[in-house]
Amino acid sequence: MANVHIHSSWRLKDSEVTPESVYVNRREFVKRVGGGAILTAASSACGIDGQAEAQQQGPLDNIPDTPTANLYPEAVRDPRFTVGDRHPGISTEEVVATYNNFYEFGTDKGGVWRNVAPFEARPWEIEVGGLVENPGRYDLVELERAFQLEERIYRHRCVERWSVVVPWIGFPLAHLLNKVEPKHDAGFVNFITFNRPDQAFGQKTQTWYRWPYYESIRIDEAMNELAFVVTGMYGHPLQKQNGAPVRIHLPWKYGYKSPKSIVKIEFTATAGPTFWHDLQPAEYGYYSNVDPDVPHPRWSQAQEEIVGTGDRIPTLPFNGYGEWVGELYGGVVTPPGDVPHAP
Ligand SMILES: Nc1nc2c(c(=O)[nH]1)N[C@H]1C(S)=C(S)[C@@H](COP(=O)(O)O)O[C@H]1N2
Ligand SMILES: [Mo]
């Protein structure tokens, strides 16, 4: 029997928010190193590279320089998107910048911001390819200038049952799709994140993950008004730990469907693979719409916990965005065949 010692701060009660990394790391360590393995926080969750350097900086000091910075304070809030009645208000930036899932920089949510210093998030290009009329490399600065940047308050719901409310800044994904013009046979949009093990210690050390991170959605989901390309937050460009310089946000889906720091968008005729489904096929579906009635195999989704307040609130179908996206799925939150599915 493997003698796995879990750092005490990881020994969470079921009633607490359960990090996915506890399960995956434990399982992978046991598989990889066999009996007698000592799993300590230092072996996986704490930054090794870049940590000394990062300690000089605070969590709000991770905004890469960009000539477009002046556009962000000007972004106008779209009044259609509100906090909603379950949350007490917008989360503070301190909360959103210090509680992160970004496994490229380790699995300790409270420590991601300490590990991002080596990551060079500007300048940045997005490569567009596959079934598209205008393939090529698009400079992010040009995209920021081409589209009107707007602010949207979106609720963010992680499958681990925590939630935050964030004033993101960016532009609709539909605007980018209209510019690059997917071909008629393009049915799916696939996103790929950067692959730089020298700048992201999690990519170097956590070799059991299939880097780089990748996601996929249907093209009609991508064209939905809610699908947002995020380049800023709280009135300024994105912090590195939140996916600088460009991420996706799909607020009706669990957080893992919203890839951070993307470098490539590819259009395909068939659905592309997704990072979490490939890792644990029985637990993470393709659609992964937020669904209070379909429990994850290891935890109920009926409630969520607001980061920063600790309050528990009921989970809503589509995270409360059913009016916007319900018709994409005929009103069925977890389409048949998606996993996990209600028995
Ligand atoms: N590249 C990349 N994108 C990612 C992840 C990741 O590990 N790597 N984690 C996802 C998950 S599980 C969540 S909940 C959100 C977290 O975003 P936040 O830390 O900005 O709140 O990012 C998503 N996008
Ligand atoms: Mo997540």
Side-chain angles (χ1 to χ4, degrees), residues 109-158:
K109 280 181 243 303
V112 170
W113 68 268
R114 296 177 195 276
N115 298 326
V116 294
F119 176 44
E120 289 168 20
R122 296 270 184 171
W124 198 265
E125 283 181 339
I126 299 178
E127 186 186 338
V128 174
L131 301 171
V132 64
E133 300 293 345
N134 306 314
R137 305 184 70 86
Y138 290 82
D139 193 303
L140 186 62
V141 162
E142 280 163 34
L143 297 178
E144 289 166 290
R145 290 183 175 145
F147 306 120
Q148 181 75 44
L149 296 181
E150 58 175 284
E151 183 179 74
R152 292 185 176 190
I153 297 170
Y154 273 177
R155 297 180 293 274
H156 174 93
R157 171 63 153 80
C158 177

Side-chain angles (χ1 to χ4, degrees), residues 230-252:
V230 177
T231 55
M233 59 196 281
Y234 297 89
H236 55 68
L238 276 174
Q239 301 280 357
K240 291 187 198 175
Q241 62 268 36
N242 294 101
V246 57
R247 70 177 295 173
I248 301 298
H249 199 244
L250 310 169
W252 70 99

Side-chain angles (χ1 to χ4, degrees), residues 305-327:
E305 187 173 312
I306 303 172
V307 184
T309 74
D311 294 342
R312 301 275 173 81
I313 57 172
T315 299
L316 292 181
F318 297 116
N319 201 21
Y321 295 101
E323 271 176 55
W324 298 86
V325 295
E327 66 187 23

Side-chain angles (χ1 to χ4, degrees), residues 9-341:
S9 71
W10 286 20
R11 216 175 277 133
L12 301 171
K13 287 183 244 116
D14 180 52
S15 59
E16 293 177 285
V17 173
T18 309
E20 182 58 28
S21 58
V22 169
Y23 176 81
V24 175
N25 284 349
R26 179 177 170 151
R27 193 188 62 164
E28 293 301 322
F29 266 95
V30 171
K31 201 160 82 188
R32 282 155 53 89
V33 296
I38 308 291
L39 173 55
T40 64
S43 64
S44 69
C46 290
I48 299 159
D49 300 354
Q51 208 176 32
E53 208 183 329
Q55 269 161 6
Q56 317 301 323
Q57 292 176 276
L60 305 186
D61 298 334
N62 294 310
I63 306 168
D65 284 338
T66 169
T68 49
N70 62 312
L71 299 175
Y72 286 83
E74 313 288 312
V76 173
R77 181 172 294 178
D78 186 329
R80 293 176 302 167
F81 305 107
T82 60
V83 172
D85 26 5
R86 293 171 304 146
H87 289 261
I90 295 174
S91 304
T92 65
E93 185 174 359
E94 283 75 8
V95 162
V96 173
T98 58
Y99 194 85
N100 301 103
N101 271 339
F102 203 168
Y103 279 20
E104 286 85 339
F105 300 100
T107 56
D108 169 21
K109 280 181 243 303
V112 170
W113 68 268
R114 296 177 195 276
N115 298 326
V116 294
F119 176 44
E120 289 168 20
R122 296 270 184 171
W124 198 265
E125 283 181 339
I126 299 178
E127 186 186 338
V128 174
L131 301 171
V132 64
E133 300 293 345
N134 306 314
R137 305 184 70 86
Y138 290 82
D139 193 303
L140 186 62
V141 162
E142 280 163 34
L143 297 178
E144 289 166 290
R145 290 183 175 145
F147 306 120
Q148 181 75 44
L149 296 181
E150 58 175 284
E151 183 179 74
R152 292 185 176 190
I153 297 170
Y154 273 177
R155 297 180 293 274
H156 174 93
R157 171 63 153 80
C158 177
V159 72
E160 296 164 340
R161 304 185 294 182
W162 53 268
S163 63
V164 287
V165 182
V166 187
W168 299 120
I169 295 172
F171 50 86
L173 180 55
H175 291 186
L176 181 58
L177 264 55
N178 290 337
K179 183 180 172 82
V180 302
E181 296 184 90
K183 294 188 172 168
H184 292 295
D185 49 349
F188 299 85
V189 187
N190 309 290
F191 304 100
I192 299 154
T193 288
F194 71 89
N195 194 13
R196 301 182 188 169
D198 52 328
Q199 296 181 16
F201 88 95
Q203 290 186 325
K204 192 191 285 181
T205 59
Q206 303 168 146
T207 51
W208 51 92
Y209 292 118
R210 301 179 188 202
W211 308 116
Y213 196 96
Y214 47 95
E215 260 300 338
S216 173
I217 55 176
R218 276 189 345 213
I219 205 156
D220 58 343
E221 295 180 299
M223 288 300 290
N224 185 274
E225 183 129 34
L226 279 188
F228 205 46
V229 179
V230 177
T231 55
M233 59 196 281
Y234 297 89
H236 55 68
L238 276 174
Q239 301 280 357
K240 291 187 198 175
Q241 62 268 36
N242 294 101
V246 57
R247 70 177 295 173
I248 301 298
H249 199 244
L250 310 169
W252 70 99
K253 293 178 180 288
Y254 292 117
Y256 58 87
K257 292 293 300 182
S258 293
K260 293 172 159 181
S261 308
I262 58 168
V263 295
K264 190 170 179 189
I265 302 179
E266 193 166 31
F267 295 87
T268 52
T270 55
T274 71
F275 183 89
W276 279 102
H277 180 81
D278 284 352
L279 201 62
Q280 290 165 261
E283 301 194 0
Y284 300 99
Y286 183 82
Y287 291 107
S288 296
N289 297 323
V290 175
D291 191 344
D293 296 329
V294 176
H296 181 275
R298 284 174 285 114
W299 54 78
S300 161
Q301 294 292 5
Q303 289 194 318
E304 63 199 60
E305 187 173 312
I306 303 172
V307 184
T309 74
D311 294 342
R312 301 275 173 81
I313 57 172
T315 299
L316 292 181
F318 297 116
N319 201 21
Y321 295 101
E323 271 176 55
W324 298 86
V325 295
E327 66 187 23
L328 290 171
Y329 318 97
V332 179
V333 188
T334 300
D338 215 32
V339 285
H341 199 275

